[in-house]
Amino acid sequence: MKWTAVVMLSLACASAVVAAAGPDPIVATRQSSMKEMAAAAKTIAGMFDGKLAYDAAAFKAAAGTLRARTGPALIAEFPSATLGAPSGARLEIDQARSEFEALARHIGTLASTLAAKAERAPASITDDMRMDSGPAMGGGSLLGKRPAAAEADPAKAPAEHLLHLILQDCSSCHSKFRQKVL
Ligand code: HEC
């Protein structure tokens, strides 16, 4: 029937358009989310390292970006049909969904904690925002104890320490679930 032929033709055109338009829009969106997170993390790190002038509003905006792009939002950006080449998302994400989602939620909790701190951030950087501050654990190996304390209660960790924990989650996920593509 002529009608069927028209439908078939338009379907063929639609898929040709998708192919010509390049990457899946979901893939393109998640890659730009990831780039925004990288820029946000770099901004915050730069302010703590003194490479960038501290600015409370910029800190708040960057931490807000990390919060908005992690947790459920990150999970939603990786539906099964979009995994594998040509994207940088490994097919293993589907086989290890619970691990992938746990990482996304873990970084989401850290990012929310950081964003809440950033919302109350003072006009200039204070010592208690820095990595080497935080409650003294009493005697001996302070360095050994602090990371564990921060894991148990991220809200007590200084902002700089939270950033480092966030960056660890970026790397953990990438080493397991991201692949190099040409
Ligand atoms: C739960 C897993 C997960 C977490 C957490 C995660 N990423 Fe990613 N990231 C990925 C995957 C998977 C890709 C590959 C995506 C693709 O190519 O479709 C990726 C890609 C990227 C890219 C490359 C984007 C591009 O242009 O192709 C950058 C940059 C990046 N991530 C930065 C970060 C930063 C910074 C963080 C932490 C603040 C982070 N990611 C946290 C899984 C994660």
Side-chain angles (χ1 to χ4, degrees):
M1 235 212 278
K2 206 177 173 190
W3 167 242
T4 320
V6 171
V7 172
M8 296 306 289
L9 188 65
S10 59
L11 284 177
C13 288
S15 54
V17 167
V18 170
D24 185 315
I26 298 175
V27 173
T29 305
R30 76 171 169 237
Q31 290 175 343
S32 70
S33 287
M34 289 283 170
K35 282 196 200 93
E36 281 174 45
M37 284 208 287
K42 200 175 163 199
T43 297
I44 301 172
M47 288 195 271
F48 280 106
D49 292 349
K51 289 186 192 113
L52 214 60
Y54 172 78
D55 172 56
F59 174 35
K60 188 175 150 184
T65 296
L66 293 175
R67 173 171 57 191
R69 309 246 172 277
T70 52
L74 196 162
I75 293 170
E77 284 181 328
F78 290 87
S80 306
T82 66
L83 305 178
S87 91
R90 283 184 191 268
L91 291 169
E92 280 77 355
I93 291 172
D94 241 2
Q95 282 123 48
R97 271 283 163 197
S98 58
E99 192 185 337
F100 183 82
E101 294 183 1
L103 261 166
R105 278 194 297 270
H106 187 262
I107 193 173
T109 303
L110 293 170
S112 295
T113 310
L114 181 65
K117 279 178 191 275
E119 268 157 28
R120 305 186 300 265
S124 57
I125 212 159
T126 51
D127 282 348
D128 65 351
M129 293 163 74
R130 295 199 176 274
M131 190 87 167
D132 52 2
S133 71
M137 300 293 173
S141 58
L142 290 179
L143 287 174
K145 282 180 184 170
R146 269 195 200 112
E151 274 296 317
D153 187 1
K156 293 210 174 95
E160 186 181 15
H161 190 169
L162 284 171
L163 178 70
H164 282 252
L165 295 173
I166 286 171
L167 294 172
Q168 275 173 25
D169 279 352
C170 311
S171 312
S172 306
C173 191
H174 291 163
S175 64
K176 176 130 201 209
F177 294 115
R178 185 178 168 191
Q179 62 191 0
K180 288 261 173 289
V181 278
L182 296 173

